[in-house]
Amino acid sequence: MIIRQVIILVMTISILTSCRRGYKIEDDKVYYESWNEGSGQNKRIIEQADAKTFKELTFDCDCGFKFGKDKNHLFIDGELIKNIDPNTFKFIGNYIFRDKDSAYFFGFYNNLNDCVIKGVNPSKIKLIKYPWAKADNFLIHGGDIVSIDDINEFAPIDDDWGKTKKYIINNNQILYGADVETFKITSAFQGKDKKINYEFGIINEDDFKKISFKTFDFVNKDFCRTEPIVFVDVYDSLVSYIEDKNEPIEIVEKLKQMGFILNNTMYLDWGGESKMIRASMISSKCNCIVEKLYRYDYGKPSETKNIFKVTERIYCEPREK
């Protein structure tokens, strides 16, 4: 019985020591050791690391990374992280780190070297609840940001959804026009209010009535009381987003002729390579959102310049009296 216990103990120690994960300095070189089920124990040299100044870093974070630094570089799990100052690198909380210049989110990502939170002052960051934070008037979701004018009213609903008194937010998208009081979440990227369904931060396309731009009667239409409309044939062919994005938006120009005022214009990514231009317009009777959608045509060769199918759409809400 004693012999069996000794064997089990020896095997346990052997497994634990053979599954080491971390940094090791040997012969004036820095190595990173790791283990996986496919290849077992691995050990590779970190060419960029200076062994004389290298040391491991520990933070009060449950992120599971192995941090290390030398006099010039920061490393995470043996990978060199570019453009980070290792001497000012520190943990803020909720998977957010910072150095003297920038903030970084390592909670979810595609590339460890593409985790910078762009556009915020790292000294201004205040944690809310994972993965939410804020800095000045910017709401931070993971590594993405969105500007909100009533940021101090923000309250998270869950990891994907939040709200203020005026807005519903999905990740880093404001659901413009959504009714906060009646809004309900239906999935991580879908929701609905008393009138409209939303998906990936915008109105679901099934809620738009498809109209021909060429035959639509703009003059006699009361936009403040119409249902959401999508114009499906703004252009007869595919266009280049880079060349077209600064061209006038047809619906915006039509509304200007009817007394609407352009309030602001935003240029947004819209999933994958697709793009969106969103214009907010107001009149004495209603507020309208005009969206110009550039759908990436994945069937075209990547070097093809004219790769976007363009539609324009509009939805309006009567102004409160």
Side-chain angles (χ1 to χ4, degrees), residues 61 65 138 150-151 196-197 251:
C61 171
F65 293 119
F138 291 107
D150 60 344
I151 185 71
I196 294 175
N197 295 286
I251 301 178

Side-chain angles (χ1 to χ4, degrees), residues 21 59-65 67 91 95 97 106:
R21 176 171 167 264
F59 300 100
D60 187 18
C61 171
D62 61 353
C63 40
F65 293 119
F67 294 92
F91 180 52
Y95 286 76
F97 294 76
F106 295 114

Side-chain angles (χ1 to χ4, degrees), residues 235-249:
Y235 297 144
D236 294 325
S237 60
L238 302 180
V239 301
S240 164
Y241 172 73
I242 294 175
E243 294 178 1
D244 188 70
K245 68 177 182 178
N246 294 319
E247 294 295 319
I249 299 175

Side-chain angles (χ1 to χ4, degrees), residues 62-63 91 93-96 105-109 127-133 140-142 154 156-161:
D62 61 353
C63 40
F91 180 52
N94 292 352
Y95 286 76
I96 297 176
F105 178 76
F106 295 114
F108 42 83
Y109 54 86
L127 302 177
I128 300 176
K129 181 181 179 182
Y130 177 89
W132 303 98
I140 302 169
H141 178 269
F154 175 80
I157 299 173
D158 59 20
D159 287 356
D160 300 297
W161 294 91

Side-chain angles (χ1 to χ4, degrees), residues 192-283:
K192 64 180 182 179
D193 62 18
K194 61 185 178 182
K195 294 188 298 183
I196 294 175
N197 295 286
Y198 297 84
E199 188 174 51
F200 295 111
I202 62 175
I203 296 178
N204 192 308
E205 295 191 58
D206 292 339
D207 285 2
F208 282 84
K209 182 179 180 181
K210 292 185 178 180
I211 299 284
S212 167
F213 185 84
K214 297 175 181 178
T215 61
F216 184 72
D217 184 2
F218 282 90
V219 175
N220 296 312
K221 194 67 176 180
D222 182 0
F223 281 96
C224 295
R225 300 191 181 280
T226 190
E227 59 190 313
I229 297 172
V230 59
F231 297 93
V232 295
D233 56 356
V234 177
Y235 297 144
D236 294 325
S237 60
L238 302 180
V239 301
S240 164
Y241 172 73
I242 294 175
E243 294 178 1
D244 188 70
K245 68 177 182 178
N246 294 319
E247 294 295 319
I249 299 175
E250 296 290 346
I251 301 178
V252 169
E253 297 307 307
K254 293 286 187 182
L255 291 184
K256 284 181 180 179
Q257 296 173 14
M258 298 177 211
F260 280 82
I261 298 172
L262 179 62
N263 198 22
N264 65 65
T265 303
M266 293 181 289
Y267 298 83
L268 308 168
D269 292 329
W270 180 44
E273 299 294 328
S274 298
K275 307 292 183 181
M276 174 193 295
I277 302 175
R278 177 181 284 138
S280 172
M281 304 195 72
I282 59 174
S283 73

Side-chain angles (χ1 to χ4, degrees), residues 62 69 91-92 126 161 172 183 217 257 280 303 306 308:
D62 61 353
K69 75 167 188 175
F91 180 52
I92 296 177
K126 296 180 180 179
W161 294 91
N172 67 323
F183 188 85
D217 184 2
Q257 296 173 14
S280 172
E303 67 274 9
N306 297 328
F308 291 97

